[in-house]
Amino acid sequence: MKVSIQAVAVWGKIAPSHSITAIMITDDQQTIVTGSQEGQICLWDLSSELKISSKEILFGHTASVTCLAKARD
């Protein structure tokens, strides 16, 4: 059985900086993925009205994220 664990990041009044160095849009055009100079990967929802809202931020890379690619099926 596969168990899914959702990580939650909590910070103060100011979110961590995210200097975008890479960007990708999913095939369904509903999610934008950005990589940052600070080593984070962020997922953003893109609505049909072209409104962007943050979805998740992933920490863990020790270097800049300079390239993003999707996995093949």
Side-chain angles (χ1 to χ4, degrees), residues 29-62:
Q29 298 181 349
Q30 294 182 355
T31 304
I32 298 172
V33 183
T34 57
S36 76
Q37 184 175 356
E38 295 78 17
Q40 306 146 354
I41 295 176
C42 289
L43 304 176
W44 309 84
D45 281 327
L46 180 60
S47 72
S48 57
E49 297 84 27
L50 300 179
K51 292 183 181 179
I52 299 171
S53 58
S54 61
K55 185 175 178 179
E56 294 181 51
I57 185 168
L58 309 170
F59 296 92
H61 288 84
T62 57

Side-chain angles (χ1 to χ4, degrees), residues 3 5-7 9-10 12 14 25 30 37 39 45 50 53-54 65:
V3 178
I5 299 173
Q6 184 174 6
V10 180
I14 301 172
I25 299 176
Q30 294 182 355
Q37 184 175 356
D45 281 327
L50 300 179
S53 58
S54 61
V65 177

